[in-house]
Amino acid sequence: MDYIQVITTVPTSEGGATLAHSITDARLAAGVQITGPIRSVYWWRGSLEDREEWQLTIVTTSACFAELEEHIKARHDYVTPEIIAIPVVSGSSDYLSWISTETKKTDASS
C-alpha cells in the first residue's frame, strides 16, 4: 500500500477544524494535524497577498487521494485551494498500519 501526506491551507482555525472533522468522519484519512496560524505570501489574480492561514496535514493512502481531493474542493472556502500530495517513502510499520486500518478501502487491492 502507498501512503501520502496531503497539505491544504484554510483561512480560519474554525474552518480548519470543520474540514479536518469532515475528512476524518468520511474515513478519507486516519488523521489531520492543524498547524497555525501561519503566514502565507502569494500571488493571486495579479495581486500580492499576505495572509494568515492554518495548514492541514492529512495522513492517508494514495487510494484515497481522488476522493479526498473532491471532498476538500467541495467544502473549501478558496476558489483554488492548495491540495498537494507528498509520498511517504518510509515510516514506522505500526504507524503505517494504523493509517491503513483507519482509512476507507477504495479499491480491491487495499
Side-chain angles (χ1 to χ4, degrees), residues 1-3 61-62 99-100 103 105 109-110:
M1 180 168 295
D2 293 327
Y3 302 93
T61 63
S62 295
I99 294 172
S100 298
T103 56
K105 308 300 184 237
S109 66
S110 294

Side-chain angles (χ1 to χ4, degrees), residues 9-88:
T9 53
V10 295
T12 67
S13 174
E14 297 80 13
T18 298
L19 185 56
H21 279 274
S22 72
I23 289 167
T24 53
D25 286 347
R27 304 297 275 210
L28 295 173
V32 180
Q33 297 170 328
I34 304 168
T35 307
I38 61 170
R39 186 173 178 181
S40 295
V41 178
Y42 56 92
W43 285 100
W44 179 247
R45 297 185 174 169
S47 295
L48 187 59
E49 302 289 331
D50 189 333
R51 304 272 185 219
E52 187 173 83
E53 295 182 303
W54 279 256
Q55 185 176 63
L56 278 62
T57 303
I58 304 156
V59 292
T60 189
T61 63
S62 295
C64 287
F65 179 75
E67 191 175 348
L68 174 61
E69 179 183 23
E70 289 307 311
H71 185 95
I72 292 170
K73 286 179 178 180
R75 291 158 180 80
H76 209 287
D77 292 330
Y78 294 160
V79 173
T80 307
E82 172 185 17
I83 304 172
I84 299 173
I86 302 166
V88 174

